[in-house]
Amino acid sequence: MPTRDYYEVLGVKRDASPDDLKKAYRALAMQYHPDRRPGDEEAARRFREITEAWQVLSDPEQRARYDSLGPLFRADGKPPTPEDLNAYVAGTFANLFGRKKREKGEDLKYTLSLQLEEVATGCVREVSLRRRTRCGACEGTGAEPKTGRKPCAPCKGSGRSPTRVLLRTDCPHCDGRGWVKIADCRSCDGRGALDLSELLKIRVPAGVANGQKLKIKGKGDEPKDGGAPGDLLVLLSVAEHPLFRRRGLDLLCEAPLLFTEAALGAELQVPTLTGVTTIRIPSGTPSGRIFKLSGRGLPEAGGKAVGDLQVKVVVEVPPALEPEARAALSRLSGVFTARQHPARQQWDEALAARRSPGDRP
Ligand SMILES: [Zn+2]
Ligand SMILES: [Zn+2]
């Protein structure tokens, strides 16, 4: 059984003349001849395929049998085996031979950039997208309505193969439509499809993850033959936030704290996803302490849980001091002794215990 349509193998139409066939065969045989492409397995395979197609189509008797049997054709002239019939009926070969099944349109892909704020609340985004749609004027056929077609002569408009066949097959001249195109549809230039921009609303639920995909059914390309359109696959790309990092449902942020604030306590303004809030820093707060603001994180996608906002305070030591500040700090250094710094006091004591009398202090 042929694995591909012989006409397709030779790149000719079904009504190609013996001369057309010969020309097509010669050109392809030259191109794929093993002498020209030694060691090229793919070329060798193509060459065998081309030769097989030529042997069948160049013989008028064989060609007539092939035209009526299509994929069930056997070069040895034997009738198709039950296995052949099964394969055919199961559609294994149906697509190879252009028997039209209504196929779903191509899926479209789109990358949508989101801000973390939009993830927190969910959002609806409007995007403009180019989609292939079936031409309504010609219903996807590519033929000008009314004036663009004429009935197919060989099958007398029935769409059925005019030659006697084992299984009913489509007429090869009109691919089973019963008519042939004589003028292109003016709306789509005969393509049967139009590429149109469409404004689409994409609804993004709250709590989505970076890299997550949303599928919007039926918003991909529309096939010409009226089958179901493909889907739109939206890849969500969540932008990095200048203040927040994401860990699960929690948001993490780092707040610089002046050492006077850390020592004396303070009201500190911190950001949230919706604005700014104030937290109370108690006196004696060490650098690195984390303050948790419950329920100020992200919502769980499709769930009820909400994460926390974790603010880590980090004491900032001034990298340079103005003279006035330097003078003030110098005055204070006499008061800020190790006695008020428990860790430093322990450290000093540990060192003192190790010091032998001979060491210099
Ligand atoms: Zn059209
Ligand atoms: Zn026909």
Side-chain angles (χ1 to χ4, degrees), residues 151-331:
C152 172
C155 67
K156 303 190 181 66
S158 71
R160 299 275 181 231
S161 178
T163 42
R164 221 164 58 82
V165 293
L166 195 64
L167 292 169
R168 284 205 291 184
T169 54
D170 290 344
C171 163
H173 299 272
C174 60
D175 282 338
R177 285 183 301 201
W179 55 267
V180 288
K181 180 163 92 173
I182 50 172
D184 279 346
C185 166
R186 275 182 294 232
S187 305
C188 63
D189 288 329
R191 293 192 308 126
L194 298 167
D195 289 332
L196 295 178
S197 288
E198 191 172 320
L199 217 52
L200 273 184
K201 280 202 170 93
I202 299 177
R203 192 172 296 277
V204 181
V208 291
N210 183 34
Q212 194 178 326
K213 288 190 191 102
L214 298 179
K215 186 196 260 188
I216 301 179
K217 278 199 111 45
K219 289 297 179 188
D221 283 343
E222 232 173 52
K224 287 193 280 190
D225 67 0
D231 302 323
L232 173 63
L233 303 175
V234 182
L235 174 70
L236 301 177
S237 164
V238 182
E240 273 203 26
H241 197 279
L243 294 171
F244 301 114
R245 274 186 307 120
R246 207 172 164 175
R247 192 170 66 196
L249 300 182
D250 290 347
L251 291 176
L252 314 182
C253 105
E254 227 176 71
L257 197 63
L258 307 190
F259 62 61
T260 48
E261 290 172 329
L264 301 172
E267 303 278 324
L268 182 69
Q269 292 212 316
V270 294
T272 67
L273 270 180
T274 49
V276 173
T277 189
T278 305
I279 59 173
R280 168 98 205 110
I281 306 290
S283 65
T285 293
S287 185
R289 174 166 289 176
I290 289 167
F291 293 85
K292 198 191 275 182
L293 283 74
S294 359
R296 296 295 189 102
L298 294 170
E300 181 189 12
K304 287 208 175 85
V306 182
D308 303 326
L309 169 60
Q310 299 188 19
V311 181
K312 180 180 179 183
V313 294
V314 177
V315 172
E316 183 181 13
V317 176
L321 288 170
E322 288 164 14
E324 201 182 335
R326 175 174 292 276
L329 271 182
S330 303
R331 278 198 305 280

Side-chain angles (χ1 to χ4, degrees), residues 27-106:
L28 288 169
M30 291 268 274
Q31 193 179 340
Y32 292 103
H33 199 284
D35 287 353
R36 296 192 154 221
R37 304 213 188 173
D40 185 340
E41 299 250 341
E42 174 60 18
R45 193 193 61 74
R46 286 292 302 271
F47 185 75
R48 284 194 300 274
E49 196 180 55
I50 294 157
T51 309
E52 182 186 321
W54 163 246
Q55 279 166 354
V56 171
L57 296 184
S58 61
D59 175 341
E61 214 170 287
Q62 295 258 65
R63 183 176 175 181
R65 277 187 48 240
Y66 177 71
D67 283 348
S68 67
L69 288 171
L72 293 174
F73 173 84
R74 289 173 65 117
D76 56 15
K78 286 187 189 150
T81 64
E83 288 75 28
D84 291 346
L85 285 167
N86 280 341
Y88 177 78
V89 172
T92 315
F93 294 99
N95 282 338
L96 298 171
F97 289 86
R99 302 266 178 303
K100 276 177 284 302
K101 262 197 276 167
R102 289 199 164 182
E103 297 219 354
K104 200 175 159 225
E106 294 276 307

